[in-house]
Amino acid sequence: MATAPDTVTPLDDVSAFLGSEHGLFIDGDWRAGRSTDRINVFNPATGETIATVVNANAQDVDDAVRSAHAAFEAGVWSALPPAERERRLLKFADLVEQNAEQLAQIETLNQGKSINISRYVDIGGAPSYMRYIAGLTTKVTGETFDVSIAAIPGGRYNASTRREPIGVVGAISPWNFPMMIGLWKIMPALAAGCTVVLKPSEITPLTSIRLVELGKEAGIPDGVLNLVTGDGKTGKALVDHPLVSKITFTGSTATGKAIARSAADRMLRTSLELGGKNPAIFLADAPIEMAVQGAILGGFFNNGQVCAASSRLYVARAIYEPFVKALSEAVNGMAIGPGLDPAAQINPVVSAAHRQKILDHVSQARHDGARIVAGGDSPDRPGFYVRPTVVVDAGSELAISRQEVFGPLVTVTPFDSEDDAIRLANDSDMGLAASLWTNNLKKTMELTPRIKAGTVWVNCHNLIDPNMPFGGFKESGIGRDFGVRSLDSYMEVKSVCIAY
Ligand code: NAD
């Protein structure tokens, strides 16, 4: 297959990085790891192995957690003045910015996504996010209180709260935005004064490996930021380690539930950012062109491998037929190609197993009586591609309407009234995000509060910002990332009461 003329050629230092040995980052240094098990890392555009990483075992996790625990107890990070921690975290952001092209290329080669997304979202968005969180390091405050019930008649009390870092944080990230979501975990943990063991997805560990090196260069002390690579068993060993005080997890609802069950035994603090089956509602006044562009951005951005992807489209009956026609035509016209080709709009999904999972969803939908009006198969080329797919006639009881596919696939369903649209949109176990498409202000104000989702976008979708809390209702998770309260879940509140 001929290479498109604008296809990006990997930098020399990307090739050198991929060819190097990748170990575990513990106590400020690379170690081979005690485990002899290795995991192959693939380029989804070709199916070729591009790197090999350690599948860390419980002893490796213990080494990393003990390093983080010793650093926490010694106060090498939390006892630094907040302004000094902030300075080093800002330097960390600068280093990510300076290494952006290398990181973006590694992300695309490992995850499969468009180089445009790696450059402008995953890596390009990282420094702003990092600087926002770094700035919170110097904004941690407590409160003072008057007390009403004095134990001793005439006694006088000074009561206040302090916020203290929680301890060792286990950070477990998924494969869809590997470095970006890793940063959503390690940055607030570090800004709060915690120490961290990061475990990226076994499918996409590479940018996290580079990231911890940059952290060291930025002056994050040895033992404060550690990295173990490995699969679900490595993650479970981190969750079960008694010296871990908090798990911050982004991934599937099934894994989130397993973590919550393990956490219950020892009241382990958890933040869980989980899956989505997100609705987009298009009212009758939404211009077709805007609606179709919105549906493509919401449903097919990053090949639909987005927790907030709008995978269920509900369209007013009056515009349903022209919408389906225009969406199918637009989707059939999307250029398919490797992530390193900036002109390709649909890129491979992350793995062969994930491609098969998506195709199984399509087969099941057909079997259940839904109709595929665009895509529904894999193009005949190397790599893990799935054609962008539009499904109609999928009742809300069908698996395709209820389960997260996490691929380039949307269902489109007509509605007859706005009550109907809200009922359909809310008919889900999940509640991560939703969008409403209309220029009618009154309807926007009336319908937005009725949608059960952690984020409701109006005339946009997938827009996230460090200043805007993000997280799920229902089975989409517990807790919120982002916003001025980002550090709260990495800190304990201690009340101090002084009699005088
Ligand atoms: P996953 O649950 O399979 O894996 C996520 C991480 O958990 C990986 O690092 C994995 O190795 C680890 N893991 C697996 N089993 C574990 C266990 N028993 N204990 C501890 N760790 C374990 O998810 P994925 O397939 O990597 O990611 C896709 C999912 O993530 C989708 O469901 C998507 O919606 C969700 N997601 C959510 C958000 C959000 O902010 N809500 C963002 C991105 C992705």
Side-chain angles (χ1 to χ4, degrees):
M1 194 159 294
T3 308
D6 295 334
T7 295
V8 173
T9 305
L11 299 168
D12 289 346
D13 64 1
V14 169
S15 309
F17 171 81
L18 294 178
S20 60
E21 284 285 314
H22 304 294
L24 309 176
F25 193 72
I26 297 176
D27 212 13
D29 226 335
W30 290 103
R31 295 187 188 175
R34 298 175 195 252
S35 167
T36 52
D37 194 14
R38 296 289 179 270
I39 296 173
N40 287 333
V41 178
F42 298 98
N43 176 351
T46 60
E48 288 161 4
T49 300
I50 50 171
T52 301
V53 297
V54 180
N55 192 10
N57 61 24
Q59 286 78 36
D60 292 316
V61 171
D62 184 58
D63 289 343
V65 172
R66 284 185 189 284
S67 150
H69 187 254
F72 185 74
E73 291 298 314
V76 295
W77 180 242
S78 60
L80 289 178
E84 178 57 22
R85 278 191 274 129
E86 181 186 63
R87 191 185 68 75
R88 296 186 197 192
L89 292 177
L90 289 171
K91 181 158 184 214
F92 192 12
D94 291 345
L95 289 170
V96 166
E97 199 164 55
Q98 286 157 24
N99 289 273
E101 182 59 19
Q102 184 204 31
L103 289 164
Q105 291 187 10
I106 295 171
E107 205 68 297
T108 285
L109 285 165
N110 187 178
Q111 208 282 338
K113 65 178 58 196
S114 167
I115 189 71
N116 301 325
I117 300 179
S118 294
R119 279 179 180 158
Y120 304 115
V121 180
D122 296 63
I123 316 300
S128 301
Y129 169 77
M130 294 173 81
R131 289 176 185 131
Y132 177 92
I133 299 290
L136 299 178
T137 311
T138 48
K139 319 288 183 298
V140 174
T141 57
E143 292 168 296
T144 58
F145 306 95
D146 291 335
V147 299
S148 298
I149 304 178
I152 302 168
R156 300 179 73 192
Y157 300 89
N158 176 293
S160 62
T161 50
R162 326 175 9 88
R163 287 180 190 278
E164 300 179 355
I166 208 162
V168 176
V169 172
I172 303 176
S173 55
W175 50 252
N176 59 337
F177 290 89
M179 192 189 94
M180 184 173 102
I181 294 179
L183 281 169
W184 293 359
K185 316 202 151 303
I186 66 178
M187 282 302 292
L190 293 174
C194 298
T195 59
V196 178
V197 178
L198 171 64
K199 195 214 80 70
S201 167
E202 60 274 34
I203 304 172
T204 55
L206 298 182
T207 42
S208 298
I209 290 175
R210 203 46 203 113
L211 191 65
V212 295
E213 286 180 340
L214 296 177
K216 178 168 171 123
E217 203 179 324
I220 296 170
D222 293 352
V224 172
L225 178 57
N226 305 274
L227 169 106
V228 290
T229 50
D231 59 17
K233 288 199 281 305
T234 312
K236 180 153 174 42
L238 191 55
V239 172
D240 290 342
H241 199 294
L243 294 178
V244 171
S245 297
K246 151 130 194 168
I247 289 288
T248 169
F249 171 79
T250 299
S252 63
T253 294
T255 308
K257 287 182 182 179
I259 290 174
R261 278 185 215 108
S262 306
D265 272 349
R266 59 189 182 90
M267 291 297 157
L268 176 67
R269 275 73 175 138
T270 56
S271 300
L272 304 171
E273 297 286 354
L274 309 178
K277 185 74 181 173
N278 311 288
I281 301 172
F282 298 89
L283 299 189
D285 73 295
I288 292 286
E289 199 182 324
M290 172 178 94
V292 168
Q293 275 174 12
I296 287 187
L297 182 69
F300 298 99
F301 176 72
N302 208 39
N303 311 299
Q305 300 166 123
V306 179
C307 53
S310 56
S311 49
R312 293 183 291 141
L313 311 182
Y314 298 109
V315 182
R317 181 85 63 188
I319 58 167
Y320 178 72
E321 293 294 340
F323 177 92
V324 171
K325 184 168 179 291
L327 179 65
S328 303
E329 281 171 10
V331 155
N332 282 331
M334 291 177 89
I336 299 180
L340 287 180
D341 174 3
Q345 297 160 295
I346 289 288
N347 313 111
V349 298
V350 77
S351 67
H354 191 52
R355 175 183 56 187
Q356 191 54 49
K357 191 180 136 197
I358 297 167
L359 295 175
D360 289 348
H361 275 290
V362 174
S363 303
Q364 184 67 46
R366 274 204 185 96
H367 175 264
D368 290 344
R371 274 192 307 129
I372 316 300
V373 293
D377 59 2
S378 272
D380 183 18
R381 58 185 298 161
F384 312 139
Y385 292 89
V386 178
R387 268 187 233 282
T389 300
V390 179
V391 181
V392 297
D393 298 345
S396 57
E397 72 292 354
L398 299 194
I400 198 72
S401 303
R402 307 202 77 79
Q403 295 172 2
E404 185 184 41
V405 175
F406 218 56
L409 182 149
V410 296
T411 59
V412 195
T413 307
F415 63 83
D416 292 308
S417 70
E418 276 129 32
D419 283 348
D420 217 14
I422 296 292
R423 183 183 53 74
L424 287 164
N426 288 339
D427 184 13
S428 172
D429 296 332
M430 301 192 196
L432 186 60
S435 60
L436 179 65
W437 297 79
T438 177
N439 288 319
N440 186 319
L441 184 59
K442 185 167 184 293
K443 287 185 179 172
T444 302
M445 297 309 290
E446 283 170 0
L447 297 180
T448 305
R450 296 177 63 193
I451 299 172
K452 294 191 191 323
T455 298
V456 178
W457 289 291
V458 179
N459 294 337
C460 57
H461 200 105
N462 278 339
L463 195 139
I464 54 170
D465 187 87
N467 205 23
M468 201 168 82
F470 182 75
F473 282 23
K474 301 193 264 184
E475 292 192 12
S476 289
I478 298 177
R480 294 289 180 273
D481 283 330
F482 311 159
V484 289
R485 308 225 63 91
S486 289
L487 309 195
D488 283 6
S489 69
Y490 296 89
M491 306 192 97
E492 294 282 15
V493 175
K494 180 182 282 176
S495 292
V496 179
C497 183
I498 302 172
Y500 67 98

